[in-house]
Amino acid sequence: MPNPDLVPDRDGITFFGTLSAAVTHDMKNFLAIINENAGLLEDLAAGARNGAVPVDPRKAALISEKIRKQVNRADKMIKLFNRFSHSMDHAQESVDMEEMVLLVAGLAERIIRHHDVFLTVTPALVPCRIQAHRFDLLNLIYRAVETSCEILNNTPGENRKQVTISFGSDPLVPEICFILDTGTASGWDTLFDTSKDRALLDRVNMHVKKAGPGGNGFCLCKTPGKQ
Amino acid sequence: MGPRILLVDDEQEFVLTLAERLQMRDMDSYAAFDGPTALEQVRSHPPQILIIDLKMPGMDGIQVLKQVKQTHPGIQIIILTGHGSEQDKINCMNLGASAYFQKPVDIDRLIAAIRQGYETVRSDDQKTATFDRYPKTGSWQP
């Protein structure tokens, strides 16, 4: 159950609404595909009843497989959404940052795709944990993904729009890095510069630093000296 | 022969299954999986009915609706979306859509909207054909 002392602020509610809308859109699509395949089976059965064409067992098996695939997609999405919903249950705790990145990537897959952006997550080589409120950390990671998509879409050129997320190699200095295939380092000065973003960074005890070979990326890093 | 229908949706499984069901009802249906391809199909092989999703990568359904209504105002456009608000519905109808449905849709309701759209297309075609029989200038002799 959500902890009533940890009710999200307006920004947090907006984040929750954005991801909920994306998830329900996905669910509607899964249901629509299941609905059409069930309808196709009905059509085939009706044709067979009328003596037109017997139902091909291979065709029926194929349709059944398509329905099962959508049920699996829906089940996966519901599990992710359930974990997201429970992210408000506890105050500060030790949180696996890789797990949180994968959760955001799964929930926001449709949003990222609609930006025409490809997101790759490089597995962490060492444990990457931080003391934080899960919901706030998820919100920050989503803001980083959203910011990455905005930068890529505002960058002229024909480059493939790619974001690669990786993790720091020192477990004592946990960080999440976002490297963008922009080929330019312009427009980074105002990164996470709004009062909302600064407040969010402060709540999860993190700060932003530039990263990448050409300064074409940024990392969310644990702020030293803070729990 | 029934209406020629172009289905546009980035969910390929959805659009291909729906196309198959429409073909079983003697409707000549074909598919596109994004907005730019749909516009290309409209140019090269214009449909009588266009069924489009609103949220698609790159170019969304509203942009497709606007462009098609500018270049091919006679095409009847049906919105079939998984993510539409009441305001989206009003916007689409104001832009010239003939019907608006939320996914998952009842096939009979969709077929009824397709038939109604097809009747409009045929009626418009007949009016155009009748109009073309009249001379553009001068007096008309029955």
Side-chain angles (χ1 to χ4, degrees):
Chain A
M1 285 291 287
N3 185 334
D5 295 333
L6 301 170
V7 174
D9 60 9
R10 195 178 187 83
D11 176 51
I13 292 168
T14 303
F15 163 59
F16 190 83
T18 302
L19 285 197
S20 303
V23 168
T24 51
H25 189 188
D26 277 334
M27 294 304 296
K28 281 255 190 182
N29 273 320
F30 304 151
L31 288 172
I33 298 170
I34 291 168
N35 184 53
E36 291 313 324
N37 278 290
L40 182 57
L41 273 179
E42 276 174 16
D43 293 346
L44 293 171
R49 263 198 309 274
N50 297 336
V53 191
V55 177
D56 178 353
R58 283 172 303 181
K59 175 86 178 170
L62 188 69
I63 295 169
S64 168
E65 183 54 36
K66 284 182 178 177
I67 292 173
R68 186 172 296 113
K69 187 177 151 195
Q70 297 309 316
V71 170
N72 288 339
R73 282 176 81 191
D75 181 53
K76 187 179 158 198
M77 186 56 76
I78 288 287
K79 281 176 180 156
L80 290 177
F81 193 60
N82 184 262
R83 280 171 53 204
F84 176 53
S85 304
H86 282 291
S87 66
M88 286 173 247
D89 291 359
H90 305 289
Q92 293 233 333
E93 58 184 327
S94 173
V95 183
D96 183 333
M97 298 210 291
E98 183 182 17
E99 188 189 329
M100 295 300 102
V101 165
L102 292 173
L103 183 52
V104 170
L107 289 168
E109 189 189 333
R110 166 169 289 274
I111 298 171
I112 297 164
R113 200 166 65 235
H114 278 234
H115 280 289
D116 264 344
V117 169
F118 296 87
L119 183 74
T120 308
V121 181
T122 308
L125 298 174
V126 295
C128 192
R129 305 189 74 89
I130 190 169
Q131 281 291 125
H133 182 211
R134 273 174 197 268
F135 183 79
D136 284 337
L137 182 58
L138 289 168
N139 192 354
L140 180 62
I141 293 168
Y142 178 74
R143 277 291 299 132
V145 170
E146 194 180 40
T147 301
S148 302
C149 291
E150 284 166 6
I151 291 171
L152 286 169
N153 281 319
N154 290 330
T155 303
E158 295 298 313
N159 282 0
R160 176 185 156 100
K161 291 187 266 181
Q162 169 86 41
V163 180
T164 304
I165 303 180
S166 59
F167 302 89
S169 54
D170 183 351
L172 297 176
V173 190
E175 61 180 25
I176 312 170
C177 296
F178 298 76
I179 306 301
L180 281 58
D181 284 4
T182 56
T184 173
S186 62
W188 294 86
D189 297 338
T190 54
L191 206 61
F192 290 90
D193 206 26
T194 67
S195 56
K196 281 191 301 187
D197 286 342
R198 284 197 302 270
L200 186 57
L201 281 164
D202 203 41
R203 284 206 298 277
V204 292
N205 300 328
M206 296 184 96
H207 64 278
V208 180
K209 70 170 187 188
K210 275 190 183 180
N216 56 323
F218 61 92
C219 295
L220 302 172
C221 315
K222 182 177 181 289
T223 303
K226 285 193 171 185
Q227 259 305 305
Chain B
M1 192 60 197
R4 198 166 54 250
I5 305 167
L6 174 57
L7 297 154
V8 191
D9 198 308
D10 61 316
E11 280 287 347
Q12 299 192 12
E13 293 245 349
F14 172 75
V15 83
L16 293 174
T17 311
L18 183 56
E20 187 175 352
R21 295 190 74 195
L22 296 178
Q23 282 159 8
M24 289 170 84
R25 288 161 173 81
D26 289 330
M27 294 177 176
D28 175 16
S29 52
Y30 52 115
F33 307 128
D34 57 62
T37 309
L39 292 177
E40 185 51 46
Q41 299 253 38
V42 167
R43 270 191 292 274
S44 61
H45 188 54
Q48 291 154 322
I49 310 285
L50 181 62
I51 300 178
I52 45 175
D53 187 13
L54 285 184
K55 305 279 182 186
M56 292 183 290
M59 177 183 275
D60 68 24
I62 297 267
Q63 289 172 282
V64 177
L65 168 63
K66 281 180 184 171
Q67 290 201 28
V68 171
K69 276 294 167 188
Q70 272 180 2
T71 58
H72 296 74
I75 294 176
Q76 297 297 296
I77 300 180
I78 297 171
I79 308 294
L80 180 50
T81 181
H83 191 84
S85 62
E86 198 55 34
Q87 190 56 50
D88 285 333
K89 180 178 178 177
I90 293 166
N91 291 345
C92 289
M93 300 310 274
N94 286 341
L95 286 168
S98 59
Y100 183 99
F101 295 106
Q102 290 261 359
K103 291 178 188 171
V105 67
D106 180 274
I107 192 83
D108 293 332
R109 291 183 62 204
L110 182 63
I111 297 286
I114 291 170
R115 292 209 169 111
Q116 194 176 0
Y118 188 42
E119 283 307 310
T120 305
V121 171
R122 282 169 35 145
S123 164
D124 288 350
D125 285 351
Q126 276 177 356
K127 280 180 200 160
T128 306
T130 307
F131 180 78
D132 285 347
R133 283 205 298 272
Y134 288 74
K136 300 286 185 288
T137 56
S139 60
W140 165 248
Q141 297 294 322

